[in-house]
Amino acid sequence: MRSAASSSEVKGESIEDTLETMHSYTDMIIIRHKDDNIAEKAAYMFNNSSKPIPIINAGSGPFEHPTQSLLDAYTIFRAFESKVKNKTIAVIGDLKRGRAVRSLVYILKNFEGTRLLFISPPELSIPGDIKDFLVKNNMPFEEHNSVEKGFRKADVLYFTRIQDEYDTHHESLGIDYTGFYLKKEDLPQLKKNAIIMHPLPRRNEISSDVDNDSRAWYWKQEINGLWMRTAMIAHLFKEDGYILNYR
Amino acid sequence: MRSAASSSEVKGESIEDTLETMHSYTDMIIIRHKDDNIAEKAAYMFNNSSKPIPIINAGSGPFEHPTQSLLDAYTIFRAFESKVKNKTIAVIGDLKRGRAVRSLVYILKNFEGTRLLFISPPELSIPGDIKDFLVKNNMPFEEHNSVEKGFRKADVLYFTRIQDEYDTHHESLGIDYTGFYLKKEDLPQLKKNAIIMHPLPRRNEISSDVDNDSRAWYWKQEINGLWMRTAMIAHLFKEDGYILNYR
Amino acid sequence: MRSAASSSEVKGESIEDTLETMHSYTDMIIIRHKDDNIAEKAAYMFNNSSKPIPIINAGSGPFEHPTQSLLDAYTIFRAFESKVKNKTIAVIGDLKRGRAVRSLVYILKNFEGTRLLFISPPELSIPGDIKDFLVKNNMPFEEHNSVEKGFRKADVLYFTRIQDEYDTHHESLGIDYTGFYLKKEDLPQLKKNAIIMHPLPRRNEISSDVDNDSRAWYWKQEINGLWMRTAMIAHLFKEDGYILNYR
């Protein structure tokens, strides 16, 4: 693990040289980077090299988080016992800057009949390119600024934290986010078989006294992150058998 | 290992959620934390869970340091060839804020006939709750502001560093600590079979030219930290046999 | 790995005590330190102890970098198919503060007939003690402030980054370093069998479009760092056979 602060970047090394060095030392590169295109750049650099190692995008700034979306999809898949069809999925919170949200929408295309409810403060609504993606793929969606509709209609309620680390001038401070919280008293409004998800860490989006409700799936989702990422690495190293026999 | 600076705490996660996440990923949690009750909180949280993993308190601010006290007790036990009875133990230095000191007193209760000499600047004397503990357990003790009495009477001399990391207004700067040092010229005053201990790191509490004296046990104490902690982890994982056969 | 910031140094521990602690816990110490004599101090401390573990100097401030010089010499050895005789080696850039440069000169003494060209800005020329070393060992050398001569005469061109981390008053900002770069258009001037080296990380000393030239050996040099250091550790642990059978 190489953090930005201790890397050769501080000595003025280019990102290409840093990637080249990692490539020479390793059999896989897992990249979490604030920029959008570093993982892609690495894949492009090494794809035709004599050592085409796997590159995993482990989160690129506010843009993409594909491994999160894999564990999210797997969690939904398990919650509905492999039958994910015609589900209404409410995505709630900071839809503008949440990379988990963007990657979730992309992967949900694989579940037939998915309908999306985007619920956010007006300042943090889902970006236009995501809506273009949905239109192009015939995926119906609605946008709302109030969470109540989601409580009643959703099969999946996916809460997200306000991503104020991407603030440029503390603009999050001026946004009323409290309307996008789930409290224990809201639970009776939810469908009996709904599931509640959150990529974690949370602040106050989901009250901790919701944790014991049978519909709270975020801790199962979190441990699925361990299994999914383990499976992914094993798969890329062609060690699927190992995983299948494990546990 | 998760440091406070890089953890999800900076994203606003509660300590309970951080513990829950660690619990889901691990088979044991070792916690060093500035607060007193985090290890206890973790034990309470997981004790009745489906996965009741061991929690080790590896130091809680100025309050407790139980693994240090285990290695300290083990060192005394070895130094006196398992016969630790009626020993006079001088604890010297910052008795007010030294977590090692507090935990040491608690564990010494297990050695029959232990007498304690607390030797410190007046500003850093042993707290009242520790004295209450001693009274309640019929353990005799004296308090002094001068180290000479300890030199002559003690079987164990346990030196400690001034804990100025707990200063709120640089109050340590106003304390004369030099009287609580051990120098080579002091050695003739010590009992022939006394042992000198220090939880380390030291500053000037023990002069480095004392290191070669046969009564200097602090480096043996330090390496006992490795053995004791290894043994503890192995024991908790029910691997005692492994330890017994090692070395 | 123990960084200065998180070590016991911040609690006021002496470097001797820190080394003593590491010695008690480990079977080998690898030291990168800003001071010149810490690795030597450790070797001196433990050489006559009951546990004389190997100490590796992994870079001492601007003074020495012996493991780098081993991989550099190995790279030259491989490039010329074990016949390193009567070679002209141009060392280019910050010769005053580059620890890799100093250690390289020392090790080149082992190659018969080596001639050195030192090419640097006047402010960053090779130190007098290195020139004394060369004179004493009958190693011919020249000093230049322009890189062109090196391009034509050198069998090895060893470029280095300006070591501005050792600036005391941003003095590097006043130095014109651009004349000590290698660009693609310079390549025709180089000998057919010359090799281009750089200890990395680089800034602009070697243009990235030089990377594909067959004379560019710095990436091979870089991966040699992995093999050389692995071999060194294995050798010190008397595991040479393992290395010989690997790959």
Side-chain angles (χ1 to χ4, degrees):
Chain A
M1 200 177 68
R2 196 162 180 171
S3 75
S6 65
S7 79
S8 288
E9 277 184 72
V10 299
K11 292 187 179 173
E13 184 172 69
S14 70
I15 185 71
E16 285 84 358
D17 277 14
T18 300
L19 290 170
E20 188 72 42
T21 300
M22 288 181 175
H23 174 249
S24 77
Y25 285 168
T26 64
D27 295 310
M28 175 179 288
I29 304 181
I30 301 174
I31 300 177
R32 172 164 292 186
H33 201 282
K34 65 180 170 50
D35 292 340
D36 190 23
N37 62 339
I38 305 302
E40 285 177 353
K41 186 189 289 275
Y44 180 81
M45 281 173 68
F46 306 129
N47 198 34
N48 294 312
S49 78
S50 61
K51 188 186 168 193
I53 64 174
I55 312 292
I56 297 178
N57 179 351
S60 49
F63 305 103
E64 279 256 31
H65 201 351
T67 64
Q68 178 73 43
S69 76
L70 278 168
L71 75 95
D72 289 345
Y74 176 64
T75 302
I76 295 170
F77 185 80
R78 290 293 296 262
F80 295 106
E81 292 166 354
S82 320
K83 290 179 279 289
V84 191
K85 210 170 156 178
N86 302 325
K87 297 300 179 196
T88 297
I89 298 182
V91 193
I92 301 155
D94 187 345
L95 310 183
K96 186 180 177 189
R97 303 176 297 183
R99 61 188 174 197
V101 170
R102 297 180 65 87
S103 292
L104 176 65
V105 171
Y106 292 142
I107 208 168
L108 287 176
K109 181 169 88 79
N110 298 290
F111 291 136
E112 198 186 325
T114 299
R115 287 178 304 272
L116 282 154
L117 299 182
F118 294 117
I119 300 168
S120 72
E123 302 92 332
L124 301 173
S125 58
I126 193 85
D129 67 316
I130 294 290
K131 292 193 271 191
D132 293 345
F133 171 87
L134 293 165
V135 169
K136 193 176 155 192
N137 288 283
N138 298 311
M139 296 168 70
F141 67 93
E142 301 171 21
E143 290 186 84
H144 298 281
N145 297 130
S146 164
V147 85
E148 278 73 27
K149 206 160 199 181
F151 286 162
R152 284 186 294 272
K153 290 170 60 176
D155 299 298
V156 175
L157 294 103
Y158 193 101
F159 288 85
T160 63
R161 181 176 58 81
I162 196 162
Q163 306 283 312
D164 49 14
E165 63 268 39
Y166 299 115
D167 278 5
T168 49
H169 298 94
H170 301 287
E171 57 267 32
S172 292
L173 296 175
I175 296 173
D176 182 9
Y177 208 71
T178 57
F180 304 89
Y181 288 176
L182 179 66
K183 296 199 180 66
K184 191 167 186 176
E185 57 262 36
D186 302 320
L187 289 174
Q189 299 184 54
L190 268 58
K191 284 190 179 182
K192 278 278 185 298
N193 295 316
I195 65 168
I196 306 161
M197 297 178 71
H198 193 302
L200 303 181
R202 66 174 157 183
R203 285 181 198 166
N204 304 305
E205 298 83 48
I206 302 174
S207 178
S208 63
D209 55 10
V210 171
D211 290 13
N212 290 322
D213 191 276
S214 64
R215 290 165 290 190
W217 269 70
Y218 35 93
W219 289 113
K220 292 174 201 162
Q221 177 187 4
E222 182 259 354
I223 189 68
N224 281 343
L226 181 65
W227 304 130
M228 177 52 76
R229 288 172 173 124
T230 306
M232 183 166 34
I233 291 169
H235 176 69
L236 289 167
F237 283 144
K238 312 268 184 283
E239 297 285 355
D240 303 55
Y242 170 74
I243 285 294
L244 292 173
N245 293 324
Y246 187 69
R247 283 228 165 177
Chain B
M1 201 178 68
R2 193 160 181 174
S3 75
S6 65
S7 79
S8 289
E9 278 184 71
V10 298
K11 291 187 179 172
E13 185 172 69
S14 69
I15 186 70
E16 286 84 358
D17 276 14
T18 300
L19 290 170
E20 187 73 43
T21 300
M22 288 180 175
H23 174 249
S24 76
Y25 285 168
T26 64
D27 295 309
M28 175 180 288
I29 303 181
I30 301 174
I31 300 178
R32 172 165 291 187
H33 201 281
K34 64 180 170 50
D35 292 340
D36 189 24
N37 62 340
I38 304 303
E40 286 178 351
K41 187 189 288 276
Y44 180 81
M45 280 174 68
F46 306 130
N47 197 34
N48 294 311
S49 79
S50 61
K51 188 186 170 193
I53 63 173
I55 312 291
I56 297 178
N57 179 353
S60 49
F63 305 102
E64 280 254 32
H65 200 352
T67 63
Q68 178 73 42
S69 75
L70 279 169
L71 74 94
D72 288 345
Y74 176 66
T75 302
I76 296 169
F77 185 81
R78 290 293 296 262
F80 295 106
E81 293 168 352
S82 319
K83 289 178 279 290
V84 191
K85 208 171 158 177
N86 303 324
K87 297 299 179 197
T88 297
I89 299 180
V91 194
I92 301 155
D94 187 344
L95 310 183
K96 187 182 177 188
R97 304 176 296 184
R99 61 187 174 199
V101 171
R102 298 181 64 87
S103 292
L104 176 64
V105 171
Y106 293 141
I107 208 168
L108 288 176
K109 182 169 88 78
N110 298 290
F111 292 137
E112 197 186 324
T114 300
R115 286 179 303 275
L116 281 154
L117 299 181
F118 294 116
I119 300 168
S120 71
E123 302 92 333
L124 301 173
S125 58
I126 194 84
D129 67 314
I130 294 289
K131 292 194 272 191
D132 293 345
F133 172 86
L134 293 165
V135 170
K136 193 176 155 192
N137 287 284
N138 297 313
M139 296 169 70
F141 66 93
E142 301 170 21
E143 292 187 83
H144 298 281
N145 296 129
S146 165
V147 85
E148 278 73 27
K149 207 161 198 181
F151 286 163
R152 285 186 293 271
K153 290 170 61 177
D155 300 297
V156 175
L157 293 104
Y158 193 102
F159 288 84
T160 63
R161 182 176 57 80
I162 195 162
Q163 307 282 314
D164 49 14
E165 63 267 40
Y166 299 116
D167 279 5
T168 49
H169 298 94
H170 301 288
E171 56 267 31
S172 293
L173 296 175
I175 297 173
D176 182 9
Y177 208 71
T178 58
F180 304 89
Y181 288 176
L182 179 66
K183 297 200 179 64
K184 191 167 186 176
E185 56 263 35
D186 303 321
L187 289 174
Q189 299 184 56
L190 267 58
K191 285 189 179 181
K192 279 278 185 300
N193 296 315
I195 64 168
I196 306 160
M197 297 178 68
H198 193 301
L200 303 182
R202 66 175 156 182
R203 285 181 198 166
N204 305 304
E205 299 83 47
I206 302 174
S207 177
S208 64
D209 55 12
V210 171
D211 291 13
N212 290 323
D213 191 274
S214 65
R215 290 165 290 189
W217 269 70
Y218 34 93
W219 288 113
K220 292 174 201 161
Q221 177 187 3
E222 183 259 354
I223 188 68
N224 281 343
L226 181 65
W227 303 130
M228 178 51 77
R229 288 172 174 124
T230 306
M232 183 167 33
I233 291 169
H235 176 69
L236 289 167
F237 283 145
K238 313 270 184 281
E239 297 284 356
D240 302 56
Y242 171 75
I243 286 293
L244 292 173
N245 293 324
Y246 187 69
R247 283 227 162 177
Chain C
M1 201 178 67
R2 195 160 178 172
S3 74
S6 65
S7 80
S8 288
E9 278 184 72
V10 299
K11 291 187 179 172
E13 185 171 68
S14 70
I15 185 71
E16 286 84 357
D17 276 13
T18 300
L19 289 170
E20 187 73 43
T21 301
M22 288 181 175
H23 174 249
S24 77
Y25 285 168
T26 64
D27 295 309
M28 174 180 287
I29 304 182
I30 301 173
I31 300 179
R32 172 164 292 186
H33 200 281
K34 65 181 169 50
D35 293 340
D36 189 24
N37 63 340
I38 304 303
E40 287 177 352
K41 187 190 286 276
Y44 180 81
M45 281 174 68
F46 305 129
N47 198 33
N48 294 311
S49 78
S50 61
K51 188 187 169 191
I53 63 173
I55 312 292
I56 296 178
N57 179 351
S60 49
F63 306 101
E64 279 256 31
H65 200 353
T67 63
Q68 178 73 42
S69 76
L70 278 169
L71 75 94
D72 289 345
Y74 176 66
T75 301
I76 295 169
F77 185 81
R78 290 293 297 261
F80 295 106
E81 291 168 355
S82 319
K83 291 177 279 289
V84 190
K85 210 172 159 177
N86 302 325
K87 297 300 179 196
T88 297
I89 299 181
V91 193
I92 301 155
D94 187 344
L95 310 183
K96 185 182 179 189
R97 304 175 295 183
R99 60 187 174 199
V101 170
R102 297 180 65 86
S103 292
L104 176 64
V105 171
Y106 293 142
I107 208 167
L108 288 176
K109 182 169 88 78
N110 299 289
F111 292 136
E112 197 186 325
T114 299
R115 288 179 303 273
L116 281 154
L117 299 181
F118 294 116
I119 300 168
S120 71
E123 302 92 333
L124 301 173
S125 58
I126 194 84
D129 68 314
I130 294 289
K131 291 193 272 190
D132 294 344
F133 172 87
L134 292 165
V135 169
K136 192 177 155 191
N137 288 283
N138 296 312
M139 296 168 71
F141 66 93
E142 301 170 21
E143 290 187 84
H144 298 279
N145 296 130
S146 165
V147 85
E148 278 73 27
K149 207 160 198 180
F151 286 163
R152 285 186 294 270
K153 290 170 59 176
D155 299 298
V156 174
L157 294 103
Y158 193 101
F159 288 84
T160 63
R161 181 176 58 81
I162 195 162
Q163 307 283 313
D164 49 15
E165 63 268 40
Y166 299 115
D167 279 4
T168 50
H169 298 95
H170 301 289
E171 56 268 31
S172 293
L173 295 176
I175 296 173
D176 182 9
Y177 208 72
T178 56
F180 304 89
Y181 288 176
L182 179 67
K183 297 200 180 64
K184 192 166 187 177
E185 55 263 35
D186 303 320
L187 289 174
Q189 299 184 55
L190 268 57
K191 284 189 179 183
K192 278 279 186 299
N193 296 316
I195 65 168
I196 306 160
M197 297 178 68
H198 192 301
L200 302 182
R202 66 176 156 182
R203 284 180 200 167
N204 304 304
E205 298 82 49
I206 303 174
S207 176
S208 64
D209 55 12
V210 171
D211 290 13
N212 289 322
D213 192 275
S214 65
R215 292 166 289 190
W217 269 70
Y218 35 94
W219 288 113
K220 291 174 200 161
Q221 177 187 3
E222 182 259 353
I223 188 68
N224 281 344
L226 181 65
W227 303 129
M228 178 52 76
R229 288 171 175 126
T230 306
M232 183 168 32
I233 292 169
H235 176 69
L236 289 167
F237 283 145
K238 313 268 185 283
E239 297 285 355
D240 304 55
Y242 171 74
I243 286 294
L244 292 173
N245 293 322
Y246 187 69
R247 283 224 163 180

